[in-house]
Short mmCIF file of all heavy atoms in Angstrom, two decimals:
data_model
loop_
_atom_site.label_atom_id
_atom_site.label_comp_id
_atom_site.label_asym_id
_atom_site.label_seq_id
_atom_site.Cartn_x
_atom_site.Cartn_y
_atom_site.Cartn_z
N MET A 50 -86.98 -17.35 40.20
CA MET A 50 -87.40 -18.60 40.74
C MET A 50 -88.72 -18.44 41.54
O MET A 50 -88.77 -18.86 42.66
CB MET A 50 -86.36 -19.22 41.69
CG MET A 50 -85.22 -19.89 41.05
SD MET A 50 -84.18 -20.70 42.20
CE MET A 50 -84.60 -22.32 41.92
N ALA A 51 -89.64 -17.82 40.93
CA ALA A 51 -90.94 -17.55 41.71
C ALA A 51 -92.04 -18.40 41.24
O ALA A 51 -93.17 -18.19 41.61
CB ALA A 51 -91.30 -16.15 41.58
N ASP A 52 -91.79 -19.45 40.38
CA ASP A 52 -92.78 -20.36 39.95
C ASP A 52 -93.25 -21.24 41.00
O ASP A 52 -92.52 -21.79 41.79
CB ASP A 52 -92.24 -21.15 38.70
CG ASP A 52 -93.34 -21.88 37.96
OD1 ASP A 52 -94.47 -21.84 38.37
OD2 ASP A 52 -92.96 -22.57 37.00
N ASP A 53 -94.59 -21.50 41.07
CA ASP A 53 -95.19 -22.37 42.08
C ASP A 53 -94.76 -23.83 41.96
O ASP A 53 -94.73 -24.56 42.90
CB ASP A 53 -96.68 -22.29 42.03
CG ASP A 53 -97.27 -20.99 42.49
OD1 ASP A 53 -96.54 -20.32 43.20
OD2 ASP A 53 -98.38 -20.62 42.10
N ASN A 54 -94.38 -24.31 40.78
CA ASN A 54 -94.02 -25.68 40.56
C ASN A 54 -92.54 -25.95 40.87
O ASN A 54 -92.15 -27.11 40.88
CB ASN A 54 -94.23 -26.02 39.09
CG ASN A 54 -95.75 -25.99 38.72
OD1 ASN A 54 -96.57 -26.28 39.64
ND2 ASN A 54 -96.05 -25.55 37.48
N ILE A 55 -91.75 -24.94 41.15
CA ILE A 55 -90.37 -25.13 41.49
C ILE A 55 -90.19 -25.43 42.96
O ILE A 55 -90.85 -24.74 43.79
CB ILE A 55 -89.61 -23.87 41.15
CG1 ILE A 55 -89.62 -23.62 39.57
CG2 ILE A 55 -88.19 -23.88 41.58
CD1 ILE A 55 -88.97 -22.38 39.17
N LYS A 56 -89.40 -26.43 43.26
CA LYS A 56 -89.09 -26.75 44.65
C LYS A 56 -87.69 -26.59 44.90
O LYS A 56 -86.83 -27.58 44.74
CB LYS A 56 -89.56 -28.22 44.91
CG LYS A 56 -91.06 -28.37 44.71
CD LYS A 56 -91.47 -29.75 45.02
CE LYS A 56 -92.95 -29.78 44.89
NZ LYS A 56 -93.52 -31.14 44.59
N PRO A 57 -87.19 -25.36 45.18
CA PRO A 57 -85.76 -25.06 45.17
C PRO A 57 -84.97 -25.92 46.25
O PRO A 57 -83.87 -26.30 45.99
CB PRO A 57 -85.69 -23.64 45.45
CG PRO A 57 -86.93 -23.22 46.05
CD PRO A 57 -87.96 -24.20 45.51
N LEU A 58 -85.58 -26.14 47.40
CA LEU A 58 -84.88 -26.83 48.41
C LEU A 58 -84.64 -28.28 48.03
O LEU A 58 -83.57 -28.88 48.20
CB LEU A 58 -85.54 -26.74 49.81
CG LEU A 58 -84.90 -27.36 50.98
CD1 LEU A 58 -83.41 -26.82 51.22
CD2 LEU A 58 -85.73 -27.28 52.23
N SER A 59 -85.75 -28.91 47.49
CA SER A 59 -85.63 -30.28 47.07
C SER A 59 -84.61 -30.48 45.90
O SER A 59 -83.90 -31.39 45.89
CB SER A 59 -87.05 -30.74 46.59
OG SER A 59 -87.94 -30.75 47.68
N ASP A 60 -84.60 -29.48 45.07
CA ASP A 60 -83.69 -29.56 43.93
C ASP A 60 -82.21 -29.46 44.42
O ASP A 60 -81.30 -30.24 43.93
CB ASP A 60 -83.96 -28.42 42.92
CG ASP A 60 -85.29 -28.61 42.23
OD1 ASP A 60 -85.83 -29.74 42.23
OD2 ASP A 60 -85.76 -27.66 41.65
N LEU A 61 -81.98 -28.57 45.37
CA LEU A 61 -80.63 -28.37 45.90
C LEU A 61 -80.12 -29.63 46.67
O LEU A 61 -79.00 -30.15 46.58
CB LEU A 61 -80.49 -27.17 46.76
CG LEU A 61 -80.57 -25.85 46.04
CD1 LEU A 61 -80.74 -24.72 46.98
CD2 LEU A 61 -79.35 -25.67 45.14
N VAL A 62 -81.04 -30.25 47.45
CA VAL A 62 -80.67 -31.47 48.22
C VAL A 62 -80.46 -32.58 47.22
O VAL A 62 -79.54 -33.39 47.41
CB VAL A 62 -81.89 -31.80 49.20
CG1 VAL A 62 -81.58 -33.18 49.81
CG2 VAL A 62 -81.85 -30.74 50.35
N ALA A 63 -81.22 -32.67 46.17
CA ALA A 63 -80.97 -33.76 45.13
C ALA A 63 -79.72 -33.53 44.44
O ALA A 63 -79.05 -34.53 44.00
CB ALA A 63 -82.09 -33.72 44.12
N GLN A 64 -79.15 -32.29 44.40
CA GLN A 64 -77.87 -32.04 43.79
C GLN A 64 -76.66 -32.31 44.83
O GLN A 64 -75.53 -32.14 44.47
CB GLN A 64 -77.77 -30.56 43.36
CG GLN A 64 -78.71 -30.23 42.23
CD GLN A 64 -78.72 -28.72 41.98
OE1 GLN A 64 -77.84 -27.97 42.43
NE2 GLN A 64 -79.66 -28.30 41.26
N GLY A 65 -77.00 -32.69 46.01
CA GLY A 65 -75.88 -33.05 46.98
C GLY A 65 -75.78 -32.02 48.07
O GLY A 65 -74.79 -32.14 48.82
N TRP A 66 -76.53 -31.01 48.17
CA TRP A 66 -76.45 -30.03 49.25
C TRP A 66 -77.02 -30.60 50.50
O TRP A 66 -78.00 -31.30 50.48
CB TRP A 66 -77.10 -28.73 48.86
CG TRP A 66 -76.47 -27.99 47.78
CD1 TRP A 66 -76.68 -28.03 46.44
CD2 TRP A 66 -75.55 -26.91 47.95
NE1 TRP A 66 -75.82 -27.24 45.80
CE2 TRP A 66 -75.10 -26.52 46.67
CE3 TRP A 66 -74.89 -26.37 49.07
CZ2 TRP A 66 -74.19 -25.56 46.44
CZ3 TRP A 66 -73.98 -25.38 48.84
CH2 TRP A 66 -73.60 -24.92 47.54
N GLU A 67 -76.32 -30.31 51.65
CA GLU A 67 -76.72 -30.75 52.96
C GLU A 67 -77.29 -29.58 53.77
O GLU A 67 -76.71 -28.54 53.73
CB GLU A 67 -75.51 -31.33 53.66
CG GLU A 67 -75.69 -31.69 55.06
CD GLU A 67 -74.39 -32.07 55.78
OE1 GLU A 67 -73.34 -31.96 55.15
OE2 GLU A 67 -74.49 -32.51 56.94
N ILE A 68 -78.43 -29.76 54.41
CA ILE A 68 -79.02 -28.73 55.22
C ILE A 68 -78.33 -28.74 56.56
O ILE A 68 -78.36 -29.69 57.32
CB ILE A 68 -80.55 -28.95 55.41
CG1 ILE A 68 -81.24 -28.95 54.07
CG2 ILE A 68 -81.15 -27.92 56.31
CD1 ILE A 68 -82.68 -29.40 54.16
N LEU A 69 -77.70 -27.59 56.91
CA LEU A 69 -76.98 -27.46 58.17
C LEU A 69 -77.84 -26.82 59.19
O LEU A 69 -77.75 -27.13 60.46
CB LEU A 69 -75.74 -26.62 58.02
CG LEU A 69 -74.60 -27.18 57.16
CD1 LEU A 69 -73.44 -26.23 57.08
CD2 LEU A 69 -74.12 -28.55 57.64
N ASN A 70 -78.64 -25.79 58.84
CA ASN A 70 -79.40 -25.03 59.83
C ASN A 70 -80.61 -24.48 59.17
O ASN A 70 -80.66 -24.30 57.93
CB ASN A 70 -78.56 -23.92 60.39
CG ASN A 70 -79.06 -23.38 61.75
OD1 ASN A 70 -80.08 -23.86 62.24
ND2 ASN A 70 -78.41 -22.45 62.27
N TYR A 71 -81.62 -24.19 59.96
CA TYR A 71 -82.87 -23.56 59.52
C TYR A 71 -83.40 -22.54 60.46
O TYR A 71 -83.20 -22.67 61.66
CB TYR A 71 -83.99 -24.71 59.45
CG TYR A 71 -85.40 -24.22 59.29
CD1 TYR A 71 -85.89 -23.87 58.06
CD2 TYR A 71 -86.22 -24.11 60.38
CE1 TYR A 71 -87.23 -23.38 57.91
CE2 TYR A 71 -87.46 -23.67 60.23
CZ TYR A 71 -87.98 -23.34 59.00
OH TYR A 71 -89.29 -22.85 58.85
N SER A 72 -83.91 -21.47 59.98
CA SER A 72 -84.50 -20.43 60.78
C SER A 72 -85.71 -19.86 60.14
O SER A 72 -85.84 -19.86 58.91
CB SER A 72 -83.50 -19.35 61.13
OG SER A 72 -83.27 -18.62 60.00
N ALA A 73 -86.69 -19.39 60.90
CA ALA A 73 -87.83 -18.75 60.36
C ALA A 73 -88.12 -17.48 61.15
O ALA A 73 -87.93 -17.45 62.37
CB ALA A 73 -89.09 -19.68 60.47
N THR A 74 -88.40 -16.43 60.47
CA THR A 74 -88.66 -15.14 61.06
C THR A 74 -89.98 -14.54 60.46
O THR A 74 -90.41 -14.90 59.46
CB THR A 74 -87.54 -14.13 60.85
OG1 THR A 74 -87.35 -13.97 59.46
CG2 THR A 74 -86.26 -14.60 61.44
N ASP A 75 -90.54 -13.61 61.22
CA ASP A 75 -91.70 -12.86 60.80
C ASP A 75 -91.20 -11.58 60.12
O ASP A 75 -90.59 -10.78 60.80
CB ASP A 75 -92.62 -12.63 62.00
CG ASP A 75 -93.92 -11.94 61.53
OD1 ASP A 75 -94.25 -12.03 60.31
OD2 ASP A 75 -94.64 -11.38 62.39
N TYR A 76 -91.54 -11.39 58.88
CA TYR A 76 -91.06 -10.21 58.12
C TYR A 76 -92.36 -9.45 57.65
O TYR A 76 -92.81 -9.75 56.60
CB TYR A 76 -90.16 -10.63 56.94
CG TYR A 76 -89.65 -9.47 56.14
CD1 TYR A 76 -88.65 -8.69 56.63
CD2 TYR A 76 -90.18 -9.22 54.86
CE1 TYR A 76 -88.14 -7.59 55.87
CE2 TYR A 76 -89.63 -8.20 54.06
CZ TYR A 76 -88.69 -7.38 54.61
OH TYR A 76 -88.25 -6.36 53.86
N GLY A 77 -92.82 -8.52 58.49
CA GLY A 77 -94.04 -7.78 58.09
C GLY A 77 -95.22 -8.62 57.88
O GLY A 77 -96.04 -8.40 57.06
N GLY A 78 -95.44 -9.69 58.68
CA GLY A 78 -96.54 -10.51 58.58
C GLY A 78 -96.36 -11.70 57.70
O GLY A 78 -97.22 -12.56 57.62
N ALA A 79 -95.22 -11.81 56.97
CA ALA A 79 -94.89 -12.93 56.17
C ALA A 79 -93.78 -13.70 56.75
O ALA A 79 -92.84 -13.14 57.18
CB ALA A 79 -94.44 -12.42 54.75
N LYS A 80 -93.97 -15.02 56.76
CA LYS A 80 -92.97 -15.89 57.31
C LYS A 80 -91.80 -16.12 56.34
O LYS A 80 -92.05 -16.52 55.17
CB LYS A 80 -93.58 -17.23 57.69
CG LYS A 80 -92.70 -18.26 58.31
CD LYS A 80 -93.35 -19.56 58.59
CE LYS A 80 -92.48 -20.59 59.12
NZ LYS A 80 -93.22 -21.87 59.38
N VAL A 81 -90.64 -15.76 56.72
CA VAL A 81 -89.47 -15.98 55.95
C VAL A 81 -88.69 -17.10 56.49
O VAL A 81 -88.32 -17.19 57.63
CB VAL A 81 -88.55 -14.65 55.88
CG1 VAL A 81 -87.31 -14.96 55.05
CG2 VAL A 81 -89.33 -13.47 55.44
N GLU A 82 -88.40 -18.15 55.63
CA GLU A 82 -87.63 -19.33 56.03
C GLU A 82 -86.28 -19.31 55.37
O GLU A 82 -86.13 -18.98 54.18
CB GLU A 82 -88.39 -20.54 55.59
CG GLU A 82 -89.77 -20.63 56.26
CD GLU A 82 -90.54 -21.85 55.78
OE1 GLU A 82 -91.12 -21.75 54.65
OE2 GLU A 82 -90.51 -22.88 56.54
N ASN A 83 -85.28 -19.49 56.23
CA ASN A 83 -83.88 -19.46 55.73
C ASN A 83 -83.25 -20.82 56.03
O ASN A 83 -83.39 -21.35 57.11
CB ASN A 83 -83.08 -18.34 56.48
CG ASN A 83 -83.62 -16.96 56.16
OD1 ASN A 83 -83.60 -16.57 55.00
ND2 ASN A 83 -84.17 -16.31 57.12
N PHE A 84 -82.56 -21.31 55.02
CA PHE A 84 -81.83 -22.60 55.14
C PHE A 84 -80.36 -22.34 54.84
O PHE A 84 -79.96 -21.77 53.84
CB PHE A 84 -82.32 -23.60 54.09
CG PHE A 84 -83.83 -23.82 54.27
CD1 PHE A 84 -84.72 -23.05 53.60
CD2 PHE A 84 -84.30 -24.92 55.05
CE1 PHE A 84 -86.09 -23.33 53.71
CE2 PHE A 84 -85.66 -25.18 55.17
CZ PHE A 84 -86.55 -24.33 54.51
N LEU A 85 -79.48 -22.89 55.80
CA LEU A 85 -78.06 -22.83 55.56
C LEU A 85 -77.70 -24.23 54.97
O LEU A 85 -77.96 -25.25 55.54
CB LEU A 85 -77.29 -22.55 56.80
CG LEU A 85 -75.73 -22.62 56.71
CD1 LEU A 85 -75.27 -21.56 55.78
CD2 LEU A 85 -75.11 -22.40 58.07
N LEU A 86 -77.05 -24.23 53.83
CA LEU A 86 -76.76 -25.45 53.11
C LEU A 86 -75.24 -25.58 52.82
O LEU A 86 -74.52 -24.52 52.80
CB LEU A 86 -77.43 -25.44 51.68
CG LEU A 86 -78.94 -25.22 51.70
CD1 LEU A 86 -79.41 -24.91 50.33
CD2 LEU A 86 -79.61 -26.39 52.20
N ARG A 87 -74.76 -26.78 52.78
CA ARG A 87 -73.28 -27.03 52.54
C ARG A 87 -73.13 -28.12 51.50
O ARG A 87 -73.84 -29.19 51.52
CB ARG A 87 -72.58 -27.48 53.82
CG ARG A 87 -71.15 -27.78 53.59
CD ARG A 87 -70.48 -28.19 54.85
NE ARG A 87 -71.06 -29.37 55.48
CZ ARG A 87 -70.76 -29.87 56.67
NH1 ARG A 87 -70.00 -29.19 57.46
NH2 ARG A 87 -71.44 -30.96 57.06
N LYS A 88 -72.20 -27.90 50.62
CA LYS A 88 -71.76 -28.97 49.67
C LYS A 88 -70.26 -28.87 49.58
O LYS A 88 -69.73 -27.89 49.05
CB LYS A 88 -72.40 -28.75 48.29
CG LYS A 88 -72.11 -29.76 47.29
CD LYS A 88 -72.86 -29.42 46.05
CE LYS A 88 -72.56 -30.44 44.91
NZ LYS A 88 -73.27 -30.16 43.68
N GLN A 89 -69.57 -29.92 50.05
CA GLN A 89 -68.12 -29.95 50.14
C GLN A 89 -67.67 -28.69 50.97
O GLN A 89 -68.10 -28.63 52.14
CB GLN A 89 -67.49 -30.01 48.72
CG GLN A 89 -67.86 -31.27 47.99
CD GLN A 89 -67.35 -31.27 46.59
OE1 GLN A 89 -66.80 -30.32 46.04
NE2 GLN A 89 -67.45 -32.48 45.95
N LYS A 90 -66.96 -27.81 50.47
CA LYS A 90 -66.50 -26.66 51.24
C LYS A 90 -67.29 -25.41 50.86
O LYS A 90 -66.95 -24.28 51.28
CB LYS A 90 -65.01 -26.44 51.11
CG LYS A 90 -64.28 -27.57 51.72
CD LYS A 90 -62.79 -27.18 51.70
CE LYS A 90 -61.97 -28.38 52.37
NZ LYS A 90 -60.62 -28.07 52.56
N MET A 91 -68.39 -25.54 50.04
CA MET A 91 -69.15 -24.33 49.71
C MET A 91 -70.35 -24.24 50.58
O MET A 91 -70.91 -25.32 51.11
CB MET A 91 -69.61 -24.51 48.24
CG MET A 91 -68.46 -24.59 47.24
SD MET A 91 -69.12 -24.77 45.56
CE MET A 91 -69.89 -26.35 45.63
N HIS A 92 -70.78 -22.96 50.85
CA HIS A 92 -71.96 -22.73 51.72
C HIS A 92 -72.86 -21.89 50.95
O HIS A 92 -72.49 -21.03 50.18
CB HIS A 92 -71.57 -22.09 53.05
CG HIS A 92 -70.82 -23.03 53.91
ND1 HIS A 92 -69.48 -23.30 53.84
CD2 HIS A 92 -71.26 -23.74 54.96
CE1 HIS A 92 -69.15 -24.14 54.76
NE2 HIS A 92 -70.20 -24.46 55.48
N ARG A 93 -74.18 -22.04 51.17
CA ARG A 93 -75.22 -21.31 50.42
C ARG A 93 -76.38 -21.03 51.50
O ARG A 93 -76.77 -21.87 52.25
CB ARG A 93 -75.69 -22.04 49.32
CG ARG A 93 -76.81 -21.33 48.56
CD ARG A 93 -77.15 -22.10 47.25
NE ARG A 93 -76.07 -21.89 46.26
CZ ARG A 93 -75.97 -22.48 45.13
NH1 ARG A 93 -76.87 -23.26 44.68
NH2 ARG A 93 -74.92 -22.25 44.31
N VAL A 94 -76.98 -19.88 51.44
CA VAL A 94 -78.25 -19.55 52.09
C VAL A 94 -79.37 -19.47 51.22
O VAL A 94 -79.25 -18.76 50.20
CB VAL A 94 -78.07 -18.21 52.91
CG1 VAL A 94 -79.43 -17.84 53.54
CG2 VAL A 94 -76.96 -18.31 53.98
N LEU A 95 -80.39 -20.17 51.48
CA LEU A 95 -81.57 -20.23 50.71
C LEU A 95 -82.70 -19.57 51.42
O LEU A 95 -83.02 -20.00 52.55
CB LEU A 95 -82.03 -21.62 50.27
CG LEU A 95 -83.32 -21.83 49.42
CD1 LEU A 95 -83.02 -21.28 48.00
CD2 LEU A 95 -83.77 -23.23 49.46
N SER A 96 -83.29 -18.44 50.97
CA SER A 96 -84.33 -17.70 51.66
C SER A 96 -85.60 -17.86 50.86
O SER A 96 -85.65 -17.55 49.67
CB SER A 96 -83.88 -16.23 51.77
OG SER A 96 -84.90 -15.49 52.43
N VAL A 97 -86.70 -18.19 51.56
CA VAL A 97 -87.98 -18.40 50.88
C VAL A 97 -89.06 -17.62 51.61
O VAL A 97 -89.13 -17.76 52.86
CB VAL A 97 -88.37 -19.89 50.87
CG1 VAL A 97 -89.72 -20.11 50.16
CG2 VAL A 97 -87.36 -20.74 50.23
N ARG A 98 -89.85 -16.82 50.91
CA ARG A 98 -90.90 -16.07 51.57
C ARG A 98 -92.08 -15.97 50.58
O ARG A 98 -91.86 -16.03 49.35
CB ARG A 98 -90.49 -14.74 52.02
CG ARG A 98 -90.18 -13.73 50.87
CD ARG A 98 -90.15 -12.31 51.44
NE ARG A 98 -89.74 -11.42 50.34
CZ ARG A 98 -90.48 -10.91 49.45
NH1 ARG A 98 -91.79 -11.20 49.50
NH2 ARG A 98 -90.08 -10.09 48.53
N PRO A 99 -93.32 -15.85 51.10
CA PRO A 99 -94.42 -15.66 50.17
C PRO A 99 -94.41 -14.29 49.51
O PRO A 99 -93.83 -13.38 50.07
CB PRO A 99 -95.67 -15.75 51.09
CG PRO A 99 -95.20 -16.16 52.42
CD PRO A 99 -93.74 -15.95 52.44
N LYS A 100 -94.98 -14.21 48.33
CA LYS A 100 -95.00 -12.92 47.62
C LYS A 100 -95.89 -11.98 48.46
O LYS A 100 -96.90 -12.44 49.04
CB LYS A 100 -95.60 -13.02 46.25
CG LYS A 100 -94.68 -13.67 45.24
CD LYS A 100 -95.33 -13.68 43.86
CE LYS A 100 -94.37 -14.26 42.83
NZ LYS A 100 -95.02 -14.32 41.53
N MET A 101 -95.57 -10.66 48.45
CA MET A 101 -96.34 -9.72 49.10
C MET A 101 -97.70 -9.52 48.41
O MET A 101 -98.75 -9.26 49.02
CB MET A 101 -95.63 -8.36 49.20
CG MET A 101 -94.38 -8.44 50.13
SD MET A 101 -94.90 -8.71 51.77
CE MET A 101 -93.34 -8.51 52.52
N VAL A 102 -97.70 -9.59 47.07
CA VAL A 102 -98.89 -9.39 46.27
C VAL A 102 -98.97 -10.62 45.33
O VAL A 102 -98.07 -10.97 44.63
CB VAL A 102 -98.81 -8.10 45.43
CG1 VAL A 102 -100.05 -7.99 44.53
CG2 VAL A 102 -98.61 -6.88 46.31
N GLY A 103 -100.15 -11.27 45.31
CA GLY A 103 -100.36 -12.41 44.49
C GLY A 103 -99.90 -13.73 45.19
O GLY A 103 -99.47 -13.72 46.36
N LYS A 104 -100.04 -14.85 44.45
CA LYS A 104 -99.65 -16.10 44.99
C LYS A 104 -98.31 -16.47 44.50
O LYS A 104 -97.72 -15.96 43.63
CB LYS A 104 -100.66 -17.17 44.44
CG LYS A 104 -102.07 -16.94 44.94
CD LYS A 104 -102.97 -18.10 44.37
CE LYS A 104 -104.35 -17.90 44.99
NZ LYS A 104 -105.24 -19.07 44.59
N GLY A 105 -97.68 -17.43 45.25
CA GLY A 105 -96.32 -17.90 44.97
C GLY A 105 -95.30 -17.44 46.02
O GLY A 105 -95.68 -16.89 47.00
N TYR A 106 -94.08 -17.66 45.72
CA TYR A 106 -92.98 -17.46 46.65
C TYR A 106 -91.86 -16.74 45.99
O TYR A 106 -91.72 -16.78 44.78
CB TYR A 106 -92.47 -18.77 47.21
CG TYR A 106 -93.47 -19.50 48.06
CD1 TYR A 106 -94.29 -20.41 47.47
CD2 TYR A 106 -93.51 -19.26 49.37
CE1 TYR A 106 -95.29 -21.03 48.28
CE2 TYR A 106 -94.50 -19.87 50.15
CZ TYR A 106 -95.35 -20.80 49.63
OH TYR A 106 -96.23 -21.37 50.41
N VAL A 107 -91.12 -15.99 46.76
CA VAL A 107 -89.90 -15.33 46.31
C VAL A 107 -88.69 -16.16 46.91
O VAL A 107 -88.70 -16.38 48.13
CB VAL A 107 -89.83 -13.88 46.82
CG1 VAL A 107 -88.46 -13.25 46.40
CG2 VAL A 107 -90.98 -13.10 46.28
N VAL A 108 -87.85 -16.60 46.04
CA VAL A 108 -86.67 -17.45 46.48
C VAL A 108 -85.41 -16.71 46.10
O VAL A 108 -85.26 -16.31 45.04
CB VAL A 108 -86.75 -18.83 45.76
CG1 VAL A 108 -85.56 -19.61 46.28
CG2 VAL A 108 -88.11 -19.53 46.06
N LYS A 109 -84.58 -16.67 47.16
CA LYS A 109 -83.26 -16.03 46.86
C LYS A 109 -82.20 -17.02 47.38
O LYS A 109 -82.23 -17.67 48.44
CB LYS A 109 -83.07 -14.75 47.67
CG LYS A 109 -84.02 -13.64 47.25
CD LYS A 109 -83.78 -12.38 48.03
CE LYS A 109 -84.71 -11.31 47.55
NZ LYS A 109 -84.59 -10.05 48.33
N GLU A 110 -81.09 -17.09 46.59
CA GLU A 110 -79.99 -17.96 46.91
C GLU A 110 -78.74 -16.99 47.05
O GLU A 110 -78.55 -16.16 46.22
CB GLU A 110 -79.68 -18.94 45.85
CG GLU A 110 -80.75 -20.03 45.74
CD GLU A 110 -80.43 -21.07 44.67
OE1 GLU A 110 -79.24 -21.32 44.44
OE2 GLU A 110 -81.37 -21.62 44.13
N LEU A 111 -77.98 -17.23 48.14
CA LEU A 111 -76.85 -16.40 48.37
C LEU A 111 -75.63 -17.34 48.69
O LEU A 111 -75.72 -18.10 49.59
CB LEU A 111 -77.02 -15.46 49.52
CG LEU A 111 -75.85 -14.65 50.04
CD1 LEU A 111 -75.42 -13.63 48.95
CD2 LEU A 111 -76.22 -13.94 51.29
N ASP A 112 -74.62 -17.31 47.90
CA ASP A 112 -73.44 -18.10 48.10
C ASP A 112 -72.55 -17.29 49.10
O ASP A 112 -72.28 -16.12 48.92
CB ASP A 112 -72.57 -18.32 46.81
CG ASP A 112 -73.32 -19.30 45.88
OD1 ASP A 112 -74.00 -20.24 46.36
OD2 ASP A 112 -73.19 -19.15 44.66
N ILE A 113 -72.02 -18.03 50.17
CA ILE A 113 -71.20 -17.36 51.16
C ILE A 113 -69.91 -18.17 51.31
O ILE A 113 -69.80 -19.25 50.89
CB ILE A 113 -71.95 -17.24 52.52
CG1 ILE A 113 -72.45 -18.59 53.00
CG2 ILE A 113 -73.05 -16.22 52.34
CD1 ILE A 113 -73.10 -18.53 54.33
#
C-alpha cells in the first residue's frame, strides 16, 4: 500500500471504521502517524510514515 493515490484512512472510514485515537512521533526525522480504529468489536492500528528513500508513504495495518 505505498501508492501515492491510495488514501488508506479515508478508505477505512468509508468502510465503517471509527477513529478512536491518534498519535504522531518522530522516527529518525520522519513523522510517523498512528491511528487506532474500531469497527464493532474489532480494533486496528494504521501506521503511516514517509518513505526513507523516494516519494510516497509506507502504510501498515495491524489488527489487534
Side-chain angles (χ1 to χ4, degrees):
M50 280 185 108
D52 188 0
D53 290 338
N54 296 326
I55 295 176
K56 297 180 179 158
L58 184 59
S59 297
D60 293 343
L61 290 170
V62 170
Q64 294 172 13
W66 289 88
E67 172 187 6
I68 300 172
L69 294 179
N70 201 357
Y71 166 82
S72 70
T74 57
D75 184 18
Y76 181 72
K80 182 179 175 183
V81 179
E82 298 177 281
N83 297 298
F84 301 89
L85 176 61
L86 307 167
R87 174 179 64 191
K88 182 177 180 181
Q89 297 175 351
K90 292 187 179 187
M91 300 180 295
H92 290 82
R93 178 175 287 177
V94 174
L95 179 71
S96 179
V97 181
R98 70 167 175 81
K100 286 184 178 179
M101 295 291 189
V102 177
K104 294 184 178 182
Y106 294 91
V107 176
V108 178
K109 293 183 182 177
E110 293 182 27
L111 175 66
D112 290 326
I113 52 175

